[in-house]
Amino acid sequence: YTLSLHDALPIWKCLTVPAIRHALSTTRQDDFAQWYQEVIAEAEMAEESGVRGCMVIKPWGYGIWERIQRLMDDRIKAAGVENCYFPLFIPLSFFAKEAEHVEGFAKEMAVVTHHRLIAGAGGGLVPDPEARLEEPLVVRPTSETVIGAAMARWIQSWRDLPMLTNQWANVVRWEMRTRMFLRTSEFLWQEGHTAHADRDDAMAETLRALEMYRSFSEHVLAMPVIAGEKPENERFPGAVGTWSIEAMMQDGKALQAGTSHYLGIGFAQAAGIQYQDREGTQQLCHTTSWGVSTRLIGGVIMTHGDDDGLRVPPAIAPHQIVILPMLRETDEDAALLAYCEGLRAALLSQSALGEPVRVLLDKRPGKATQKRWGWVKKGVPLILEIGGRDAAGGQVSVLRRDRLWNDAAKANFVGMGKDAFLASAAAELEDIQRALHTEATARRDANITRGIESLDALAAFYGENVRYPGWVELGWARPTGAELDDVVKKLKELKLTLRNVPMDSEAASGTCIFTGRPATERIFVARAY
């Protein structure tokens, strides 16, 4: 079933189905923040590293990132973008050239000032005063400045344009409040940086990248998003315009899942990125940047997870199917394993979602039920439990992770013949992918409120719906400058933020509740991560 989170709690209180003992100790309704942390721990996705705000990404979590990286990289390269790598350390003077950019990141920069340690007078190690760097180095928070310096060397004439580059890297932003995958001091991402002859070409690239992110989120992550332009106060530091994809989490909050920026000629002017046009005149390039990060994993958790753990869309699952033989440490185990090996080999020869099926045969010692719940919490799309009788009779028992429980509050295993399962496995994975997207889309759409016509009504709405209020779509007159600052201040008092102006929204009507002027477009307002 699909419920609006706005209505979920009172409905759940009235349900008369048998009580289910879930795999997690915290439910989404009881404490969404604690539930999120428990999913990460129980699914063995990541753990604290001992360094504030930095995490160790464990094999299952990193396996999901590798899938995201691989599939996204294919799309990036298909657009003619080439991968490069640029230094982790950036001279401070590079940032000083672009005042607005450095101001935007100044409070988050980690800075290296020395290159050697020595023993201190009181014991321990301290920076060697004689090893102070001539110029401090910033640990990469983003790479516009260092890539701009490279582009200034590489671009000479119109024949060199457009220049389309991307890098997969880690970045450091010294966050005050951190949460795994969502906001960490160090995170992994890709950052595209491109240079173009004119605004039109650069804008086309900006919107191409945005559409790439939108399509990827919808079709690969099964995470529905709204693509649109960010208001002036939410622009990337130094950008002329910023566009984003915004996803609704199960607690009704918004997550900015990807951004694409048109940077105009500001960065080109600071870095000296220019070219000789066909008439022999020197022109400044128009540049763009765009990126997504490991924050997408946090979005997947909060979009698809349930009270038993993670549910991973098959497109990004490191293992789409896990086979669990019910081993008894007897002579019968050899025949059971042989049956399971044959099943695995047959599945590996199949394709689903455009790729070979990914299958794991879990032969670790231990009870099958314990291993089953471990994979349930990790969110494997299909789990097969195979006992001796199943092997002898050519049968399988199949558990779909997105349909975990039956009406009797029992694990919803479906028994079928081996051949029947092999004939349906690929279609089943594709159906799970669709089902997760359909469920998330219905939940999002049920939790978007329209028709609020005053600031007082907006405050009342969020005051009455404290826990899971969802988003509000409002008419918007596109205020700027001091007028926009006043809007942002009023929203901050309500713990709300402006998200984006949807690109495919209906024509605006009515009045902007913030300015009193006729609305020229629509904008989403929400609490956000």
Side-chain angles (χ1 to χ4, degrees), residues 218-522:
E218 298 271 355
H219 299 121
V220 177
L221 306 182
M223 184 168 71
V225 294
I226 302 293
E229 185 177 4
K230 301 291 274 187
E232 181 182 298
N233 68 298
E234 293 284 347
R235 287 176 186 161
F236 180 73
V240 175
T242 289
W243 287 258
S244 71
I245 55 171
E246 306 281 336
M248 184 186 289
M249 304 297 95
Q250 289 185 63
D251 61 351
K253 289 183 180 180
L255 181 76
Q256 180 177 287
T259 51
S260 187
H261 317 286
Y262 168 55
L263 304 177
I265 60 172
F267 282 88
Q269 196 164 32
I273 311 171
Q274 56 186 349
Y275 69 99
Q276 188 177 67
D277 65 19
R278 294 171 187 264
E279 285 72 43
T281 303
Q282 290 294 317
Q283 303 284 355
L284 288 169
C285 291
H286 293 248
T287 62
T288 81
S289 66
W290 31 271
V292 294
S293 73
T294 37
R295 170 175 269 227
L296 289 176
I297 297 177
V300 167
I301 295 169
M302 292 193 292
T303 298
H304 300 305
D306 63 15
D307 293 339
D308 295 289
L310 185 58
R311 295 189 300 174
V312 184
I316 59 169
H319 309 309
Q320 295 168 318
I321 302 173
V322 169
I323 303 172
L324 297 176
M326 302 177 72
L327 303 173
R328 301 181 182 278
E329 298 183 2
T330 67
D331 293 342
E332 296 177 358
D333 286 353
L336 175 57
L337 285 172
Y339 178 80
C340 292
E341 288 282 7
L343 181 60
R344 174 178 175 272
L347 288 168
L348 287 173
S349 67
Q350 298 190 16
S351 294
L353 298 164
E355 295 184 282
V357 173
R358 296 181 295 282
V359 189
L360 174 71
L361 173 55
D362 187 351
K363 297 186 286 186
R364 294 173 300 163
K367 293 183 178 180
T369 53
Q370 291 178 336
K371 291 193 289 183
R372 174 215 303 168
W373 286 107
W375 290 115
V376 164
K377 288 184 283 189
K378 288 178 184 288
V380 171
L382 289 175
I383 299 171
L384 308 185
E385 277 192 11
I386 313 294
R389 292 181 181 178
D390 294 317
Q395 298 288 306
V396 296
S397 292
V398 185
L399 181 65
R400 265 183 64 150
R401 179 60 184 86
D402 65 324
R403 299 175 183 171
L404 188 56
W405 302 103
N406 62 24
D407 293 339
K410 302 291 186 182
N412 194 27
F413 275 103
V414 175
M416 64 177 70
K418 173 184 172 182
D419 291 341
F421 172 72
L422 290 174
S424 64
E428 202 80 356
L429 291 170
E430 291 170 356
D431 187 62
I432 294 171
Q433 185 80 21
R434 284 190 299 270
L436 289 174
H437 182 265
T438 299
E439 178 184 320
T441 302
R443 181 173 57 243
R444 180 199 65 187
D445 293 348
N447 286 279
I448 293 176
T449 298
R450 298 176 176 87
I452 289 179
E453 298 180 352
S454 71
L455 188 60
D456 288 342
L458 181 68
F461 174 81
Y462 278 99
E464 293 167 3
N465 303 295
V466 178
R467 297 191 69 200
Y468 302 136
W471 300 358
V472 171
E473 188 180 44
L474 297 167
W476 181 243
R478 207 178 179 93
T480 63
E483 189 177 38
L484 176 59
D485 292 341
D486 185 57
V487 172
V488 173
K489 180 181 178 181
K490 290 176 179 176
L491 289 174
K492 187 175 182 180
E493 293 172 354
L494 300 174
K495 299 181 179 179
L496 297 174
T497 59
L498 299 165
R499 302 318 301 164
N500 68 16
V501 174
M503 300 182 70
D504 58 353
S505 123
E506 297 178 3
S509 61
T511 302
C512 171
I513 69 170
F514 303 107
T515 67
R517 297 196 302 273
T520 57
E521 56 194 17
R522 299 175 183 272

Side-chain angles (χ1 to χ4, degrees), residues 9 15 98 109 170 191 228 237 279 338-339 408 434 443 448 470:
L9 186 58
L15 291 177
E98 224 297 324
M109 287 183 181
N170 62 334
E191 49 179 323
E279 285 72 43
Y339 178 80
R434 284 190 299 270
R443 181 173 57 243
I448 293 176

